[in-house]
Amino acid sequence: MRMEQLVGERFKERPSDCVIDSHALMIRGGYMKPVANGIFSSNPPLVRITKKISDIIRKEMDALDGQEVLFPVVMPAELWAESGRYESVGKELLRFFDRSDSKMVLGMTHEEAAVQLVREYGGSYNKYPFMIYQIQTKFRDEARPRAGLIRVREFTMKDAYSFHTTVEDMEQYYEKVRVGYHRIFAKAGIPEVIDVEGDSGMMGGSISHEFMLVTPVGEDTLAICPECGYRSNLESAECIYDAPAAEKNDVMPELVYTPDCKTIEDVCNFLKTDVKKSCKAVAYQGETSGEYVLVFIRGDLEVNETKVKNAVGENLVVADIQPGHGLVAGFMGPYQLEYTGKILVDASLKGMQDVAMGGNQEDYHFTHVNMERDLPNLVFGDYGKIQQDSICPCCKKPIINLERGIEVGNIFQLGKKYTIPMNMEYLDENSQRQTPYMACYGIGVGRLAASVCEAHHDEYGPIWPMSIAPWQVHICCIRSDVEEVKAYAEKLYTQLQQAGVEVIIDTREIRPGAMFSDADLLGVPLRVVVSPKNLEAGCLEVKSRDKALDEKIPLAEIEDYLKKEIEKRLA
Amino acid sequence: MRMEQLVGERFKERPSDCVIDSHALMIRGGYMKPVANGIFSSNPPLVRITKKISDIIRKEMDALDGQEVLFPVVMPAELWAESGRYESVGKELLRFFDRSDSKMVLGMTHEEAAVQLVREYGGSYNKYPFMIYQIQTKFRDEARPRAGLIRVREFTMKDAYSFHTTVEDMEQYYEKVRVGYHRIFAKAGIPEVIDVEGDSGMMGGSISHEFMLVTPVGEDTLAICPECGYRSNLESAECIYDAPAAEKNDVMPELVYTPDCKTIEDVCNFLKTDVKKSCKAVAYQGETSGEYVLVFIRGDLEVNETKVKNAVGENLVVADIQPGHGLVAGFMGPYQLEYTGKILVDASLKGMQDVAMGGNQEDYHFTHVNMERDLPNLVFGDYGKIQQDSICPCCKKPIINLERGIEVGNIFQLGKKYTIPMNMEYLDENSQRQTPYMACYGIGVGRLAASVCEAHHDEYGPIWPMSIAPWQVHICCIRSDVEEVKAYAEKLYTQLQQAGVEVIIDTREIRPGAMFSDADLLGVPLRVVVSPKNLEAGCLEVKSRDKALDEKIPLAEIEDYLKKEIEKRLA
């Protein structure tokens, strides 16, 4: 490829709408161009990078006996109705009508299509286990696309689906894929990716893992125990609390006038009680059903909305409390509550005594509530958000660390969540009908590219690892107006291409500074500078984009040298 | 790959809904599975075939200095509004709303996206010419999907867009791509593909070519001159007629009562005149506008609806004639017609004398109309459908032959059709603003796979050319229950894989007949039979799927033999 022909514009100024570096650099470097909110066109360098990433993934999937298939982007709604997700998934699922007014959806994931494809094939136990995968365009109608390729609406994804006759087989296979995923990320240049326990969310199933690149610009929060190695997405991290001091509380609940108290902190200040001895209420409404969901939690803690969402089975919005439901906004408490709808009580309140809580009347709170004595029928669950220095659910030490991460992949043990409603069955050794187990495995190709850029860049541009770099060698010809310099650069270009090296050459008659800036934005690992000065000295300058290398190489040795450097970096 | 693990079911019965062989064989061979009308999932053999086809195309595009990019599947309506196609294209363009009620479309072609991507890049004359291409999923909401992968709604397509500063440069480049397309089809196994003049339709521009696989099951009709080589799609073939005999006709038009005459033939029988001396009317309505379009043509000819559609600029439906427009259904003629809307008059009527035509009254016709004398203001155009033995528009001999064909690719000289409305401009050598010329080039990947199958199959299955075959060698192990036979087959399998041969092995303990049937359905070019009898004789049986080859090869020579046969077939 010739730099002067490379489609895409490169420029210096950081676009104002880019909040993270990878987004800014990939726009500045002409890797992509926005077409609509969260929708991009890709230029040749990005196409080359994602192709290499796809090939890395493909190789690993094939090594795991995966078979490449292709599901459609556009699917009939009936297929999603079979699993129940046509109704249960929120607006991320783009629903529309085709010309004959049939309901259709745009594929954001393909569990239903996978089951549909192999439902007959998997009819006998001797076909199991097997895995199918695809690398295909997906569309997810995100409410807030952001951060370039990190959160988009249209994206290329590798999604794989494995099928099993026993839960043990599923678990073993899942573990093999988990390890394979680490090989993929290492090969793509980010071996530092960790896996954490994930929230299964709308995918269903019980166990899932997310693969996280830890970085301050990540949009996920991770709970990590520095001691025992426990790692979880904050969304699914279990919350554990010290058992409350078993002080005796003989005082009965008392309704207290608490004027001008807007927050739980106001109330506790007013009542001169510790916020840790209060109960606060958070009210939601189902996005579709409109039903109220009331969550009670210890006053100093935060509600984990994902846990609440999973408990009620639909997306939630902040409640708009209307009269007539027995709910008094700002003064809700579980004691003497008229409301009879959905109530979730966090385990942080369990066993507490002498608690302050809403009085279910305007400007009134109860004090001295003893949870066990006064509310003996409550059922407790885990709806809290883990915090910095929370107790580790694994080793029980109060040393949880919160970090930010970008999710670059996820894997789910789905069990029979799809195979049961979609009537996938096989005959076992005894000719008995059985339902197979299923697991699924995803990696966003573009997001992975952006994550590698996020992990490996400087202020001048991305520093692509050799394994996914758009080109391997970048020839900068300084002074193309000097005939022998240009001729030498062109000769080297041809020679390297013939040697199978992926090379891009820049022979534009521009200042070296501008040429190097463009090269920095392309982030090719090895740069060869051909200039009058170098040629006079009988050598070429070879620099690596990561600055580790800066050598003068005799002309006769250049091809061998570059090939060895490439090989070293691909190993 | 092992046959016993290959995802997909193969079966014997031809599905009743398959009208063409490639469709039936690709369903029976487990290449794909329908998900909805015109929407399929692909199994591993088809994924492998289309990947090879994509690589053949990619190589040719790169050789033409094409640069691979990627446009989105989902695009904002505004982008299509820029070119005017959001309004002008029919229901094939799937339009929908996203979660924020923005109008979106599913990409069926990407001229607008291509211009959007390079509008800034192409700002200076020194960037030209350049070509960008993508291989991507497209959706076209076909009214009548049919014939398996030949006419689907969702498909993978290679689409390329070239940009030029002069019309000559566009023409020269277009010609290079035309030749390159023939290389692609030859490489994919159908060198017999011809190019014909095409209809530019909704793409716009003047000159276009379609690449056709001539086959009786094709859905396009081609007009071919066996003498001079003229070739055109029937849709765009120009119609030429002998000048009518210049008999003198002094009789003035006469309104004649013609009861019970339903067709033009009835009328001519009744009037005892030649149908070639009559004028018939065909009425359409605009699909969107509802506007009437009246076409007059010589009674023995057919209207070419595509030409009419292009003339009026919208999709057409058969007219439902309502009172009040001056139109009398069944009795319409250009003489003394009250209707003042759109009228198209075919050139076949030009200069005719003594013509019979509708009287614009129920049950009445005019006779003795002299076109020039009585209708001096008519404008004539080409709206006729070329017929068997029509006059060749090129060499003027009445020997046109009609054939059927499958369109496997198309190319269009678009000119400034998109660059003008989308304001794409560059500065020329004199810093003057200019609008670039554009051409586009498409190949449907899946349709090409199906076309190769259609061209190369027998009743037992496809006969894939080596260049796109899912595997190169198929090992059939007869009597896997015999230990040394199985062991030999497995050894050969490993040996060939290590030698870089793409091999599939079948070690199922099934009857040879069933095993060979499955192998026939997979259509792998070379088959090696490992059996007790063969091993005893110290050799293996090698057969080619096309039956040209049937040899016994000594065990020691098998690897070399197969590698040579593969190489020969890839050359």
Side-chain angles (χ1 to χ4, degrees), chain A residues 5-7 33-34 42 67 70 72-74 98-99 116 120-121 141 153-154, chain B residues 5 7 33-34 42 67 70 72-74 98-99 116 120-121 141 153-154:
Chain A
Q5 294 178 344
L6 180 63
V7 167
K33 189 170 191 172
S42 304
Q67 296 184 50
L70 190 69
V73 174
V74 176
D98 71 6
R99 69 184 292 160
Q116 193 260 352
E120 289 78 26
Y121 170 78
D141 206 1
R153 297 203 287 169
E154 182 170 322
Chain B
Q5 295 179 343
V7 167
K33 190 169 190 173
S42 303
Q67 296 185 51
L70 190 69
V73 174
V74 176
D98 72 5
R99 67 183 294 162
Q116 193 260 352
E120 288 79 26
Y121 170 77
D141 207 0
R153 297 202 286 168
E154 183 171 320

mmCIF file of all heavy atoms in Angstrom, chain A residues 5-7 33-34 42 67 70 72-74 98-99 116 120-121 141 153-154, chain B residues 5 7 33-34 42 67 70 72-74 98-99 116 120-121 141 153-154:
data_model
loop_
_atom_site.group_PDB
_atom_site.id
_atom_site.type_symbol
_atom_site.label_atom_id
_atom_site.label_comp_id
_atom_site.label_asym_id
_atom_site.label_seq_id
_atom_site.Cartn_x
_atom_site.Cartn_y
_atom_site.Cartn_z
ATOM 1 N N GLN A 5 -2.075 6.914 -1.402
ATOM 2 C CA GLN A 5 -3.328 6.385 -1.960
ATOM 3 C C GLN A 5 -4.276 5.881 -0.880
ATOM 4 O O GLN A 5 -5.383 5.454 -1.174
ATOM 5 C CB GLN A 5 -3.017 5.208 -2.895
ATOM 6 C CG GLN A 5 -2.243 5.607 -4.137
ATOM 7 C CD GLN A 5 -1.915 4.419 -5.013
ATOM 8 O OE1 GLN A 5 -1.992 3.277 -4.581
ATOM 9 N NE2 GLN A 5 -1.562 4.684 -6.258
ATOM 10 N N LEU A 6 -3.792 5.864 0.347
ATOM 11 C CA LEU A 6 -4.592 5.249 1.413
ATOM 12 C C LEU A 6 -5.850 6.070 1.709
ATOM 13 O O LEU A 6 -5.770 7.222 2.131
ATOM 14 C CB LEU A 6 -3.734 5.118 2.677
ATOM 15 C CG LEU A 6 -4.413 4.501 3.889
ATOM 16 C CD1 LEU A 6 -4.812 3.059 3.596
ATOM 17 C CD2 LEU A 6 -3.495 4.565 5.108
ATOM 18 N N VAL A 7 -6.997 5.471 1.522
ATOM 19 C CA VAL A 7 -8.269 6.160 1.749
ATOM 20 C C VAL A 7 -8.437 6.482 3.232
ATOM 21 O O VAL A 7 -8.187 5.642 4.088
ATOM 22 C CB VAL A 7 -9.435 5.295 1.231
ATOM 23 C CG1 VAL A 7 -10.764 5.823 1.744
ATOM 24 C CG2 VAL A 7 -9.435 5.262 -0.294
ATOM 25 N N LYS A 33 -15.087 6.394 10.276
ATOM 26 C CA LYS A 33 -15.813 7.651 10.125
ATOM 27 C C LYS A 33 -17.249 7.423 10.606
ATOM 28 O O LYS A 33 -17.874 6.429 10.202
ATOM 29 C CB LYS A 33 -15.819 8.023 8.645
ATOM 30 C CG LYS A 33 -16.336 9.401 8.370
ATOM 31 C CD LYS A 33 -16.067 9.755 6.922
ATOM 32 C CE LYS A 33 -16.316 11.202 6.650
ATOM 33 N NZ LYS A 33 -15.882 11.561 5.313
ATOM 34 N N PRO A 34 -17.757 8.315 11.433
ATOM 35 C CA PRO A 34 -19.138 8.111 11.899
ATOM 36 C C PRO A 34 -20.157 8.302 10.771
ATOM 37 O O PRO A 34 -19.999 9.193 9.930
ATOM 38 C CB PRO A 34 -19.327 9.183 12.980
ATOM 39 C CG PRO A 34 -18.196 10.134 12.836
ATOM 40 C CD PRO A 34 -17.109 9.478 12.041
ATOM 41 N N SER A 42 -15.733 1.753 8.222
ATOM 42 C CA SER A 42 -14.319 1.469 8.513
ATOM 43 C C SER A 42 -13.466 1.717 7.289
ATOM 44 O O SER A 42 -13.816 1.286 6.190
ATOM 45 C CB SER A 42 -14.145 0.007 8.927
ATOM 46 O OG SER A 42 -14.961 -0.306 10.020
ATOM 47 N N GLN A 67 -17.105 -25.029 14.705
ATOM 48 C CA GLN A 67 -17.377 -25.042 13.267
ATOM 49 C C GLN A 67 -18.007 -23.706 12.885
ATOM 50 O O GLN A 67 -18.996 -23.290 13.485
ATOM 51 C CB GLN A 67 -18.327 -26.191 12.912
ATOM 52 C CG GLN A 67 -17.719 -27.557 13.199
ATOM 53 C CD GLN A 67 -18.625 -28.697 12.763
ATOM 54 O OE1 GLN A 67 -19.104 -28.726 11.641
ATOM 55 N NE2 GLN A 67 -18.855 -29.631 13.654
ATOM 56 N N LEU A 70 -22.984 -19.270 9.724
ATOM 57 C CA LEU A 70 -23.398 -17.868 9.588
ATOM 58 C C LEU A 70 -24.898 -17.772 9.811
ATOM 59 O O LEU A 70 -25.674 -18.469 9.150
ATOM 60 C CB LEU A 70 -23.035 -17.334 8.196
ATOM 61 C CG LEU A 70 -23.195 -15.823 8.013
ATOM 62 C CD1 LEU A 70 -22.146 -15.060 8.824
ATOM 63 C CD2 LEU A 70 -23.080 -15.443 6.540
ATOM 64 N N PRO A 72 -28.391 -15.216 10.129
ATOM 65 C CA PRO A 72 -28.791 -13.953 9.493
ATOM 66 C C PRO A 72 -28.765 -12.765 10.465
ATOM 67 O O PRO A 72 -28.920 -12.933 11.672
ATOM 68 C CB PRO A 72 -30.229 -14.220 9.035
ATOM 69 C CG PRO A 72 -30.622 -15.553 9.538
ATOM 70 C CD PRO A 72 -29.489 -16.159 10.297
ATOM 71 N N VAL A 73 -28.582 -11.588 9.910
ATOM 72 C CA VAL A 73 -28.696 -10.347 10.685
ATOM 73 C C VAL A 73 -30.170 -10.077 10.969
ATOM 74 O O VAL A 73 -30.550 -9.690 12.068
ATOM 75 C CB VAL A 73 -28.095 -9.161 9.892
ATOM 76 C CG1 VAL A 73 -28.338 -7.853 10.619
ATOM 77 C CG2 VAL A 73 -26.601 -9.380 9.652
ATOM 78 N N VAL A 74 -31.007 -10.307 9.948
ATOM 79 C CA VAL A 74 -32.445 -10.055 10.088
ATOM 80 C C VAL A 74 -33.147 -11.380 10.393
ATOM 81 O O VAL A 74 -32.986 -12.351 9.651
ATOM 82 C CB VAL A 74 -33.014 -9.441 8.793
ATOM 83 C CG1 VAL A 74 -34.525 -9.274 8.896
ATOM 84 C CG2 VAL A 74 -32.343 -8.106 8.497
ATOM 85 N N ASP A 98 -41.405 -5.975 8.009
ATOM 86 C CA ASP A 98 -40.935 -6.033 6.625
ATOM 87 C C ASP A 98 -42.079 -5.643 5.680
ATOM 88 O O ASP A 98 -43.150 -5.225 6.118
ATOM 89 C CB ASP A 98 -40.328 -7.407 6.293
ATOM 90 C CG ASP A 98 -41.380 -8.495 6.203
ATOM 91 O OD1 ASP A 98 -42.600 -8.186 6.290
ATOM 92 O OD2 ASP A 98 -40.988 -9.664 6.036
ATOM 93 N N ARG A 99 -41.870 -5.775 4.371
ATOM 94 C CA ARG A 99 -42.850 -5.274 3.404
ATOM 95 C C ARG A 99 -44.185 -6.001 3.475
ATOM 96 O O ARG A 99 -45.213 -5.476 3.046
ATOM 97 C CB ARG A 99 -42.287 -5.318 1.986
ATOM 98 C CG ARG A 99 -42.092 -6.699 1.423
ATOM 99 C CD ARG A 99 -41.436 -6.632 0.053
ATOM 100 N NE ARG A 99 -42.297 -6.055 -0.960
ATOM 101 C CZ ARG A 99 -41.876 -5.545 -2.104
ATOM 102 N NH1 ARG A 99 -40.582 -5.541 -2.376
ATOM 103 N NH2 ARG A 99 -42.723 -5.060 -2.987
ATOM 104 N N GLN A 116 -32.110 -23.032 16.442
ATOM 105 C CA GLN A 116 -32.882 -23.345 15.228
ATOM 106 C C GLN A 116 -32.026 -24.101 14.222
ATOM 107 O O GLN A 116 -32.493 -25.044 13.589
ATOM 108 C CB GLN A 116 -33.416 -22.036 14.620
ATOM 109 C CG GLN A 116 -34.487 -22.221 13.546
ATOM 110 C CD GLN A 116 -33.916 -22.110 12.122
ATOM 111 O OE1 GLN A 116 -32.753 -21.760 11.914
ATOM 112 N NE2 GLN A 116 -34.748 -22.437 11.144
ATOM 113 N N GLU A 120 -32.366 -30.124 14.667
ATOM 114 C CA GLU A 120 -32.491 -31.478 14.110
ATOM 115 C C GLU A 120 -31.142 -32.197 14.132
ATOM 116 O O GLU A 120 -31.081 -33.383 14.438
ATOM 117 C CB GLU A 120 -33.029 -31.437 12.673
ATOM 118 C CG GLU A 120 -34.500 -31.051 12.585
ATOM 119 C CD GLU A 120 -34.724 -29.560 12.741
ATOM 120 O OE1 GLU A 120 -33.785 -28.781 12.429
ATOM 121 O OE2 GLU A 120 -35.802 -29.144 13.207
ATOM 122 N N TYR A 121 -30.088 -31.473 13.802
ATOM 123 C CA TYR A 121 -28.762 -32.098 13.793
ATOM 124 C C TYR A 121 -28.457 -32.730 15.148
ATOM 125 O O TYR A 121 -27.956 -33.854 15.222
ATOM 126 C CB TYR A 121 -27.691 -31.059 13.449
ATOM 127 C CG TYR A 121 -26.287 -31.573 13.663
ATOM 128 C CD1 TYR A 121 -25.695 -32.427 12.741
ATOM 129 C CD2 TYR A 121 -25.555 -31.235 14.809
ATOM 130 C CE1 TYR A 121 -24.415 -32.927 12.944
ATOM 131 C CE2 TYR A 121 -24.279 -31.723 15.022
ATOM 132 C CZ TYR A 121 -23.718 -32.568 14.089
ATOM 133 O OH TYR A 121 -22.456 -33.071 14.296
ATOM 134 N N ASP A 141 -29.522 -1.718 19.676
ATOM 135 C CA ASP A 141 -29.952 -0.312 19.674
ATOM 136 C C ASP A 141 -29.683 0.317 21.036
ATOM 137 O O ASP A 141 -30.593 0.568 21.826
ATOM 138 C CB ASP A 141 -31.426 -0.217 19.276
ATOM 139 C CG ASP A 141 -31.750 1.133 18.651
ATOM 140 O OD1 ASP A 141 -30.822 1.956 18.515
ATOM 141 O OD2 ASP A 141 -32.921 1.362 18.301
ATOM 142 N N ARG A 153 -23.629 0.833 18.122
ATOM 143 C CA ARG A 153 -24.892 0.153 17.858
ATOM 144 C C ARG A 153 -24.675 -0.988 16.871
ATOM 145 O O ARG A 153 -25.197 -2.076 17.041
ATOM 146 C CB ARG A 153 -25.931 1.155 17.336
ATOM 147 C CG ARG A 153 -26.249 2.223 18.398
ATOM 148 C CD ARG A 153 -27.608 2.837 18.162
ATOM 149 N NE ARG A 153 -27.599 3.742 17.011
ATOM 150 C CZ ARG A 153 -28.686 4.252 16.453
ATOM 151 N NH1 ARG A 153 -29.890 3.923 16.920
ATOM 152 N NH2 ARG A 153 -28.606 5.080 15.439
ATOM 153 N N GLU A 154 -23.891 -0.740 15.832
ATOM 154 C CA GLU A 154 -23.591 -1.818 14.887
ATOM 155 C C GLU A 154 -22.156 -2.259 15.075
ATOM 156 O O GLU A 154 -21.252 -1.419 15.156
ATOM 157 C CB GLU A 154 -23.810 -1.336 13.448
ATOM 158 C CG GLU A 154 -23.569 -2.438 12.436
ATOM 159 C CD GLU A 154 -24.010 -2.056 11.027
ATOM 160 O OE1 GLU A 154 -25.051 -1.393 10.871
ATOM 161 O OE2 GLU A 154 -23.290 -2.445 10.086
ATOM 162 N N GLN B 5 -18.886 -35.334 12.623
ATOM 163 C CA GLN B 5 -19.048 -34.143 13.463
ATOM 164 C C GLN B 5 -19.573 -32.943 12.681
ATOM 165 O O GLN B 5 -19.838 -31.898 13.267
ATOM 166 C CB GLN B 5 -17.686 -33.750 14.065
ATOM 167 C CG GLN B 5 -17.125 -34.779 15.026
ATOM 168 C CD GLN B 5 -15.767 -34.362 15.567
ATOM 169 O OE1 GLN B 5 -15.110 -33.494 15.009
ATOM 170 N NE2 GLN B 5 -15.368 -34.984 16.657
ATOM 171 N N VAL B 7 -21.649 -30.301 11.265
ATOM 172 C CA VAL B 7 -22.983 -29.783 11.574
ATOM 173 C C VAL B 7 -23.808 -29.635 10.295
ATOM 174 O O VAL B 7 -23.307 -29.132 9.282
ATOM 175 C CB VAL B 7 -22.871 -28.428 12.310
ATOM 176 C CG1 VAL B 7 -24.211 -27.706 12.354
ATOM 177 C CG2 VAL B 7 -22.343 -28.641 13.725
ATOM 178 N N LYS B 33 -29.944 -23.588 5.856
ATOM 179 C CA LYS B 33 -31.260 -23.891 6.422
ATOM 180 C C LYS B 33 -32.092 -22.621 6.398
ATOM 181 O O LYS B 33 -31.600 -21.559 6.813
ATOM 182 C CB LYS B 33 -31.060 -24.355 7.865
ATOM 183 C CG LYS B 33 -32.292 -24.932 8.505
ATOM 184 C CD LYS B 33 -31.912 -25.581 9.808
ATOM 185 C CE LYS B 33 -33.060 -26.382 10.356
ATOM 186 N NZ LYS B 33 -32.630 -27.142 11.544
ATOM 187 N N PRO B 34 -33.330 -22.697 5.931
ATOM 188 C CA PRO B 34 -34.143 -21.474 5.911
ATOM 189 C C PRO B 34 -34.515 -21.012 7.324
ATOM 190 O O PRO B 34 -34.809 -21.836 8.193
ATOM 191 C CB PRO B 34 -35.402 -21.881 5.129
ATOM 192 C CG PRO B 34 -35.386 -23.365 5.045
ATOM 193 C CD PRO B 34 -34.006 -23.853 5.338
ATOM 194 N N SER B 42 -26.230 -20.391 7.277
ATOM 195 C CA SER B 42 -25.286 -21.199 6.507
ATOM 196 C C SER B 42 -24.564 -22.181 7.412
ATOM 197 O O SER B 42 -24.100 -21.815 8.491
ATOM 198 C CB SER B 42 -24.228 -20.311 5.855
ATOM 199 O OG SER B 42 -24.825 -19.340 5.050
ATOM 200 N N GLN B 67 -9.324 -0.830 -2.373
ATOM 201 C CA GLN B 67 -9.006 -0.836 -0.949
ATOM 202 C C GLN B 67 -10.241 -1.296 -0.188
ATOM 203 O O GLN B 67 -11.328 -0.749 -0.356
ATOM 204 C CB GLN B 67 -8.599 0.561 -0.490
ATOM 205 C CG GLN B 67 -7.324 1.050 -1.163
ATOM 206 C CD GLN B 67 -6.862 2.387 -0.616
ATOM 207 O OE1 GLN B 67 -6.740 2.568 0.579
ATOM 208 N NE2 GLN B 67 -6.606 3.326 -1.503
ATOM 209 N N LEU B 70 -15.427 -1.005 5.058
ATOM 210 C CA LEU B 70 -16.660 -1.637 5.527
ATOM 211 C C LEU B 70 -17.691 -0.562 5.813
ATOM 212 O O LEU B 70 -17.430 0.362 6.584
ATOM 213 C CB LEU B 70 -16.393 -2.478 6.783
ATOM 214 C CG LEU B 70 -17.544 -3.372 7.233
ATOM 215 C CD1 LEU B 70 -17.763 -4.511 6.246
ATOM 216 C CD2 LEU B 70 -17.293 -3.927 8.630
ATOM 217 N N PRO B 72 -21.751 0.383 7.035
ATOM 218 C CA PRO B 72 -22.714 -0.226 7.949
ATOM 219 C C PRO B 72 -23.891 -0.884 7.220
ATOM 220 O O PRO B 72 -24.248 -0.472 6.116
ATOM 221 C CB PRO B 72 -23.205 0.943 8.803
ATOM 222 C CG PRO B 72 -22.610 2.174 8.261
ATOM 223 C CD PRO B 72 -21.744 1.859 7.094
ATOM 224 N N VAL B 73 -24.475 -1.873 7.862
ATOM 225 C CA VAL B 73 -25.712 -2.481 7.371
ATOM 226 C C VAL B 73 -26.881 -1.523 7.623
ATOM 227 O O VAL B 73 -27.743 -1.332 6.782
ATOM 228 C CB VAL B 73 -25.980 -3.831 8.085
ATOM 229 C CG1 VAL B 73 -27.334 -4.393 7.686
ATOM 230 C CG2 VAL B 73 -24.860 -4.830 7.790
ATOM 231 N N VAL B 74 -26.868 -0.913 8.799
ATOM 232 C CA VAL B 74 -27.945 0.010 9.177
ATOM 233 C C VAL B 74 -27.476 1.441 8.929
ATOM 234 O O VAL B 74 -26.424 1.832 9.419
ATOM 235 C CB VAL B 74 -28.315 -0.174 10.665
ATOM 236 C CG1 VAL B 74 -29.357 0.851 11.095
ATOM 237 C CG2 VAL B 74 -28.811 -1.597 10.911
ATOM 238 N N ASP B 98 -35.554 3.635 14.654
ATOM 239 C CA ASP B 98 -34.792 3.120 15.789
ATOM 240 C C ASP B 98 -35.454 3.567 17.088
ATOM 241 O O ASP B 98 -36.543 4.143 17.083
ATOM 242 C CB ASP B 98 -33.312 3.522 15.692
ATOM 243 C CG ASP B 98 -33.093 4.999 15.956
ATOM 244 O OD1 ASP B 98 -34.060 5.709 16.310
ATOM 245 O OD2 ASP B 98 -31.948 5.450 15.811
ATOM 246 N N ARG B 99 -34.802 3.302 18.221
ATOM 247 C CA ARG B 99 -35.441 3.551 19.522
ATOM 248 C C ARG B 99 -35.693 5.032 19.768
ATOM 249 O O ARG B 99 -36.565 5.386 20.571
ATOM 250 C CB ARG B 99 -34.616 2.955 20.656
ATOM 251 C CG ARG B 99 -33.281 3.611 20.894
ATOM 252 C CD ARG B 99 -32.508 2.892 21.984
ATOM 253 N NE ARG B 99 -33.140 3.004 23.292
ATOM 254 C CZ ARG B 99 -32.869 2.199 24.319
ATOM 255 N NH1 ARG B 99 -32.030 1.191 24.158
ATOM 256 N NH2 ARG B 99 -33.445 2.368 25.475
ATOM 257 N N GLN B 116 -20.197 9.223 1.189
ATOM 258 C CA GLN B 116 -20.029 9.815 2.521
ATOM 259 C C GLN B 116 -18.628 9.537 3.075
ATOM 260 O O GLN B 116 -18.008 10.399 3.673
ATOM 261 C CB GLN B 116 -21.113 9.259 3.460
ATOM 262 C CG GLN B 116 -21.257 10.006 4.790
ATOM 263 C CD GLN B 116 -20.551 9.303 5.947
ATOM 264 O OE1 GLN B 116 -20.071 8.187 5.827
ATOM 265 N NE2 GLN B 116 -20.469 9.994 7.074
ATOM 266 N N GLU B 120 -14.523 13.793 1.860
ATOM 267 C CA GLU B 120 -13.414 14.678 2.218
ATOM 268 C C GLU B 120 -12.092 14.153 1.638
ATOM 269 O O GLU B 120 -11.273 14.923 1.154
ATOM 270 C CB GLU B 120 -13.296 14.829 3.736
ATOM 271 C CG GLU B 120 -14.418 15.661 4.343
ATOM 272 C CD GLU B 120 -15.702 14.877 4.498
ATOM 273 O OE1 GLU B 120 -15.623 13.631 4.610
ATOM 274 O OE2 GLU B 120 -16.789 15.475 4.468
ATOM 275 N N TYR B 121 -11.901 12.855 1.713
ATOM 276 C CA TYR B 121 -10.654 12.269 1.195
ATOM 277 C C TYR B 121 -10.429 12.671 -0.256
ATOM 278 O O TYR B 121 -9.324 13.030 -0.655
ATOM 279 C CB TYR B 121 -10.688 10.741 1.321
ATOM 280 C CG TYR B 121 -9.553 10.075 0.590
ATOM 281 C CD1 TYR B 121 -8.272 10.064 1.132
ATOM 282 C CD2 TYR B 121 -9.746 9.486 -0.654
ATOM 283 C CE1 TYR B 121 -7.211 9.483 0.463
ATOM 284 C CE2 TYR B 121 -8.689 8.901 -1.342
ATOM 285 C CZ TYR B 121 -7.421 8.909 -0.780
ATOM 286 O OH TYR B 121 -6.385 8.340 -1.451
ATOM 287 N N ASP B 141 -35.516 -6.179 0.541
ATOM 288 C CA ASP B 141 -36.810 -6.779 0.890
ATOM 289 C C ASP B 141 -37.560 -7.184 -0.380
ATOM 290 O O ASP B 141 -38.547 -6.561 -0.767
ATOM 291 C CB ASP B 141 -37.627 -5.803 1.753
ATOM 292 C CG ASP B 141 -38.600 -6.557 2.656
ATOM 293 O OD1 ASP B 141 -38.612 -7.794 2.600
ATOM 294 O OD2 ASP B 141 -39.333 -5.893 3.407
ATOM 295 N N ARG B 153 -33.423 -12.438 0.470
ATOM 296 C CA ARG B 153 -33.574 -11.098 1.007
ATOM 297 C C ARG B 153 -32.277 -10.656 1.699
ATOM 298 O O ARG B 153 -31.837 -9.537 1.542
ATOM 299 C CB ARG B 153 -34.760 -11.051 1.970
ATOM 300 C CG ARG B 153 -36.093 -11.369 1.250
ATOM 301 C CD ARG B 153 -37.259 -10.819 1.999
ATOM 302 N NE ARG B 153 -37.554 -11.591 3.196
ATOM 303 C CZ ARG B 153 -38.389 -11.190 4.162
ATOM 304 N NH1 ARG B 153 -39.002 -10.027 4.062
ATOM 305 N NH2 ARG B 153 -38.633 -11.949 5.204
ATOM 306 N N GLU B 154 -31.666 -11.574 2.445
ATOM 307 C CA GLU B 154 -30.382 -11.234 3.072
ATOM 308 C C GLU B 154 -29.265 -11.967 2.355
ATOM 309 O O GLU B 154 -29.394 -13.164 2.102
ATOM 310 C CB GLU B 154 -30.409 -11.602 4.556
ATOM 311 C CG GLU B 154 -29.122 -11.196 5.256
ATOM 312 C CD GLU B 154 -29.190 -11.333 6.767
ATOM 313 O OE1 GLU B 154 -30.233 -11.015 7.358
ATOM 314 O OE2 GLU B 154 -28.174 -11.765 7.363
#
